[in-house]
Amino acid sequence: MEKTDYEYIVIGAGPAGVQMAYCMEKAGKDYIVLERNDSVGSFYQKYPRHRTLISINKKHNYFKEREFNLRHDWNSLLCDEDDISFFNYSDDLFPDAGLLVDYMRDFTNKFNLKIRLNTNIVNVHREAAMDTRHPSRFTITDQNGKKFTCKVLVVGTGPILPHNPDIEGIEHADTYQEHTLDLKEYENKKVLILGGGNSAFECADHLAGSAAMIHMCTRTPVKLAWDSHFVGHLRAVNNNVLDMYHLKSLHALRQCDTKKFVKEEDGTITQTFEMELPHWNPPGTATFTSKGYDKVILATGWKFINIDMFDDTCKPETHTEGKYVVLDEHWESTVPDLFFIGTSMQSRDRRAASGFIHGFRYNVRTLSHMLCARYDGDELPKKTFPSIDAEELSKFMIERVSTTSALYQMGQGYLCDVVILKPQDKEKESGQDKMTGTVEYYYELPREWVMKNDFFMKQEHMMIVTIEDNHHRFPKMSVTEFFKPGDMNPRDCKCTAFPQGVYYSYKHGQLQEDLHLGGSLVVRADKQIFVGDNNPNRFTNKLKNLLNRQIGIGRGDHFERLFEQDEWEKNYKPWSQEEIERRRQMEMAQKMVTSECRLGLVE
């Protein structure tokens, strides 16, 4: 008799579903993945429509560690085998999307993952718990009426439906999902593209050489990834039309709110839109009509949940007009035991990389560990040190932030490592390099979950380890101003263009200190990072000094600066007060001119 009852069921065999299958298979769990199409990774058989991935495949990164190189391999799934890497499928920096399907198929076969294809789930139902011995379970029905049951349901269906706006006459527009790619259909035509994200610019880039004019319309300003440091915003690989607009080559962008489309007798489409005009005198909102469009394409994004799949017993809450499902700190929905993985994980994350494989693969692995701990009593992954050795622990923590790909990709404090220090006889051994006690080092946990977890927050000595950049601290700086090294003050390295390890020290849940390690181009603190770095041990020294301040172990006078004193005086010339004042006045004058231009007060 065919098995239909499982502890864990995953819906969707995209990258997230396959990653979860690998984690469940490795842990020896009772699971199955149900996929509606005839192949794993089937989304990439069609999307992106123009067949070039924007996830980088940078094979040559100087350092040899596989973990380090995953920082620049945005397509591989996580596993313990070196020979199954997307690096083996293409040398291109931005590969063809079809190769991702080949890679995922081979990955699935290599690890003999339990995936059932051609199984389209049409209904999800949740039975109420009868008692503690008979907890609630999900019943999942496919297109043929076949039913599966499970205790824990994980949904990884990805971008499942188009997120089209509610606009009168929207039926006259084509969609990103279905518009023709035949360039002859657009030759010398006037094309309107609704949307300002990567899919909209992907369409525009494809048509830029054929269409006579492309007008791109978006309700909000276009956000550039190089400015925001968020991988989901407009990437340089797609921004040719933006370049052409500013270089006066007919294509254009318009920030407006489209209200109506009308199809005229000659077959062209008229757009009615509103535009806010804060720089007019007086400021106001105007309504405009733009005529003569031969094609209109909707590239307004996706919904990451098909809410109709869930009946009233387990319908999760959503937000952003039904685009995202509401998730808590460890990706559980408002329905108990119902979790969402993959691109839907960006519901909680608009700063790191949860919307892409190179981000959510770590979220999925972390969630698998948390599921096994919660439902099966397994331990969360950790390393235990049998004593507190300042030298050993500092070197380990430096090597960790120097090579980890998880904290690198899911930085900004989204995923973190947690260090619990349990010293004994502290007063007796204070000042020595070693101390009786233990250290527990936990890997890759959601920081918000940690901050709400009593086990961690009640510890007498706890540290949170992340990798962060500080771009958000300087919102008025342009991307071209972030080319200079950060402040060399050993206790204040927050002004830097580069990501860096950050260590937060807590006592009974109260923040005691945060230490910014200092950034570098390669984000490594375990090696000499450039010629002339005459104190490569300064990073380890910073941690030794931190441990001394927080628990009294070791000395607290380890040298932390880049330059020795004589080198500092030779290589660094502080500005005089006159030079500082002159620079300040120049910057103020420039800001004033910029502000006046934006308000239309000067030409």
Side-chain angles (χ1 to χ4, degrees):
M1 184 175 180
E2 184 181 7
K3 179 177 172 65
T4 59
D5 183 63
Y6 298 87
E7 288 298 287
Y8 301 92
I9 287 181
V10 181
I11 301 178
V18 172
Q19 183 69 76
M20 181 61 80
Y22 172 82
C23 295
M24 289 291 175
E25 184 72 28
K26 182 180 177 183
K29 301 303 177 183
D30 178 32
Y31 78 95
I32 189 72
V33 179
L34 306 177
E35 165 58 41
R36 65 178 176 175
N37 292 310
D38 60 0
S39 169
V40 297
S42 58
F43 178 87
Y44 296 97
Q45 292 176 335
K46 182 176 181 180
Y47 303 106
R49 292 296 312 279
H50 307 93
R51 308 313 294 141
T52 301
L53 297 171
I54 61 172
S55 296
I56 65 172
N57 180 55
K58 188 174 181 298
K59 300 178 69 169
H60 306 292
N61 304 305
Y62 190 76
F63 298 102
K64 300 299 183 184
E65 299 100 336
R66 181 170 179 268
E67 178 70 11
F68 178 89
N69 279 282
L70 277 168
R71 295 177 173 185
H72 311 290
D73 171 2
W74 288 11
N75 299 290
S76 289
L77 299 178
L78 305 175
C79 70
D80 293 333
E81 302 284 340
D82 291 340
D83 62 341
I84 183 73
S85 166
F86 190 81
F87 278 167
N88 299 328
Y89 288 73
S90 176
D91 292 329
D92 295 332
L93 183 61
F94 297 104
D96 181 89
L99 295 174
L100 196 51
V101 181
D102 297 339
Y103 163 74
M104 290 180 60
R105 180 193 62 239
D106 295 344
F107 186 97
T108 298
N109 292 337
K110 179 177 180 63
F111 297 110
N112 196 27
L113 304 181
K114 299 179 179 66
I115 297 176
R116 179 187 174 109
L117 302 174
N118 299 307
T119 306
N120 184 27
I121 301 306
V122 297
N123 181 262
V124 178
H125 176 80
R126 190 171 190 257
E127 297 288 348
M130 297 175 60
D131 51 49
T132 55
R133 294 178 303 168
H134 302 88
S136 61
R137 294 182 76 82
F138 292 96
T139 299
I140 302 155
T141 307
D142 73 5
Q143 78 276 21
N144 298 316
K146 190 176 185 64
K147 297 184 184 299
F148 302 84
T149 56
C150 65
K151 178 172 68 176
V152 181
L153 180 60
V154 180
V155 178
T157 48
I160 192 168
L161 295 169
H163 182 240
N164 292 333
D166 184 15
I167 297 173
E168 182 182 345
I170 197 76
E171 67 275 9
H172 301 306
D174 296 328
T175 65
Y176 169 79
Q177 291 78 8
E178 302 299 334
H179 75 283
T180 179
L181 302 183
D182 184 358
L183 292 177
K184 290 188 177 299
E185 293 287 322
Y186 303 94
E187 283 185 357
N188 207 33
K189 299 292 177 63
K190 188 177 177 183
V191 180
L192 173 67
I193 300 176
L194 226 59
N198 278 298
S199 19
F201 277 88
E202 175 198 332
C203 292
D205 195 49
H206 179 69
L207 304 180
S210 298
M213 285 185 233
I214 298 173
H215 290 170
M216 301 190 69
C217 294
T218 174
R219 287 188 295 180
T220 58
V222 174
K223 295 180 180 179
L224 304 172
W226 62 39
D227 270 332
S228 68
H229 288 204
F230 176 55
V231 69
H233 290 153
L234 178 60
R235 303 281 301 286
V237 69
N238 283 329
N239 73 5
N240 281 329
V241 166
L242 186 62
D243 200 41
M244 295 176 74
Y245 171 44
H246 287 289
L247 295 178
K248 306 179 290 294
S249 295
L250 294 179
H251 304 322
L253 274 71
R254 179 189 298 149
Q255 184 183 332
C256 64
D257 188 7
T258 300
K259 296 299 182 181
K260 183 168 64 173
F261 291 119
V262 174
K263 193 160 189 176
E264 307 294 350
E265 291 184 1
D266 63 357
T268 62
I269 298 172
T270 297
Q271 175 201 29
T272 300
F273 62 90
E274 291 182 354
M275 181 179 288
E276 294 183 351
L277 302 165
H279 60 293
W280 282 25
N281 188 13
T285 299
T287 300
F288 295 95
T289 299
S290 187
K291 298 183 177 182
Y293 291 110
D294 299 289
K295 298 277 189 180
V296 175
I297 301 173
L298 303 178
T300 48
W302 298 86
K303 289 186 176 180
F304 297 92
I305 177 175
N306 178 8
I307 197 66
D308 295 333
M309 188 169 71
F310 303 88
D311 69 20
D312 290 340
T313 64
C314 58
K315 199 177 291 291
E317 293 181 18
T318 62
H319 64 91
T320 319
E321 300 175 333
K323 184 173 182 175
Y324 297 111
V325 65
V326 174
L327 301 176
D328 72 4
E329 297 81 11
H330 68 319
W331 306 288
E332 187 172 19
S333 71
T334 52
V335 176
D337 310 314
L338 174 60
F339 298 82
F340 283 75
I341 59 174
T343 51
S344 61
M345 286 170 150
Q346 68 186 298
S347 170
R348 294 191 59 82
D349 170 28
R350 303 298 291 175
R351 289 179 62 189
S354 292
F356 289 74
I357 294 173
H358 67 284
F360 67 63
R361 61 189 177 189
Y362 303 105
N363 293 347
V364 171
R365 182 170 66 181
T366 292
L367 177 59
S368 74
H369 296 149
M370 299 177 82
L371 294 178
C372 293
R374 173 173 165 178
Y375 295 102
D376 302 318
D378 298 354
E379 280 198 336
L380 292 172
K382 67 179 180 180
K383 177 180 176 65
T384 301
F385 297 81
S387 65
I388 304 178
D389 183 322
E391 182 75 21
E392 178 187 25
L393 183 57
S394 296
K395 284 187 175 180
F396 174 83
M397 293 170 71
I398 290 296
E399 289 174 1
R400 171 68 177 158
V401 298
S402 296
T403 57
T404 173
S405 58
L407 302 189
Y408 183 88
Q409 295 295 2
M410 295 307 299
Q412 305 304 90
Y414 193 78
L415 289 184
C416 67
D417 291 350
V418 181
V419 190
I420 296 177
L421 303 129
K422 299 179 178 180
Q424 299 173 6
D425 300 325
K426 184 168 63 173
E427 292 78 11
K428 179 181 178 181
E429 302 185 29
S430 179
Q432 298 185 17
D433 289 335
K434 292 185 180 181
M435 182 181 290
T436 304
T438 59
V439 179
E440 293 178 342
Y441 193 103
Y442 290 85
Y443 295 97
E444 299 163 24
L445 296 173
R447 185 175 181 183
E448 289 189 39
W449 179 81
V450 170
M451 299 300 291
K452 292 184 177 181
N453 189 296
D454 286 345
F455 171 77
F456 294 109
M457 300 311 291
K458 289 182 177 180
Q459 297 293 329
E460 182 178 6
H461 299 289
M462 180 190 77
M463 294 176 66
I464 284 179
V465 184
T466 72
I467 294 179
E468 304 177 17
D469 69 49
N470 292 295
H471 176 266
H472 64 285
R473 296 177 184 268
F474 310 99
K476 295 183 179 180
M477 289 183 71
S478 74
V479 63
T480 54
E481 293 178 278
F482 263 98
F483 289 162
K484 298 174 183 177
D487 191 347
M488 292 303 176
N489 186 324
R491 299 285 168 79
D492 186 11
C493 299
K494 296 178 182 179
C495 181
T496 175
F498 310 117
Q500 59 179 309
V502 184
Y503 301 83
Y504 297 89
S505 180
Y506 291 86
K507 187 172 184 177
H508 301 300
Q510 297 299 312
L511 179 64
Q512 304 297 301
E513 182 179 356
D514 61 284
L515 172 67
H516 287 68
L517 201 58
S520 73
L521 179 61
V522 295
V523 194
R524 296 199 72 138
D526 60 338
K527 300 179 183 296
Q528 185 180 35
I529 54 177
F530 58 86
V531 175
D533 180 1
N534 65 355
N535 186 24
N537 294 322
R538 67 185 180 280
F539 301 113
T540 306
N541 289 346
K542 287 185 179 186
L543 275 186
K544 289 180 185 177
N545 291 340
L546 176 64
L547 290 170
N548 173 265
R549 293 192 296 273
Q550 295 303 315
I551 63 173
I553 188 173
R555 304 185 348 256
D557 59 352
H558 297 284
F559 188 68
E560 298 184 3
R561 280 195 177 275
L562 173 65
F563 299 121
E564 299 283 359
Q565 188 62 38
D566 59 340
E567 291 290 317
W568 179 266
E569 294 174 355
K570 183 174 69 174
N571 293 312
Y572 188 72
K573 178 183 176 296
W575 286 344
S576 66
Q577 281 302 121
E578 182 181 347
E579 289 172 316
I580 293 172
E581 180 61 24
R582 185 162 60 246
R583 174 58 65 95
R584 187 185 70 83
Q585 291 178 358
M586 288 171 58
E587 290 178 350
M588 288 181 61
Q590 181 60 45
K591 288 178 181 178
M592 185 176 297
V593 170
T594 301
S595 298
E596 290 177 347
C597 286
R598 287 174 177 168
L599 292 173
L601 301 178
V602 297
E603 294 182 357

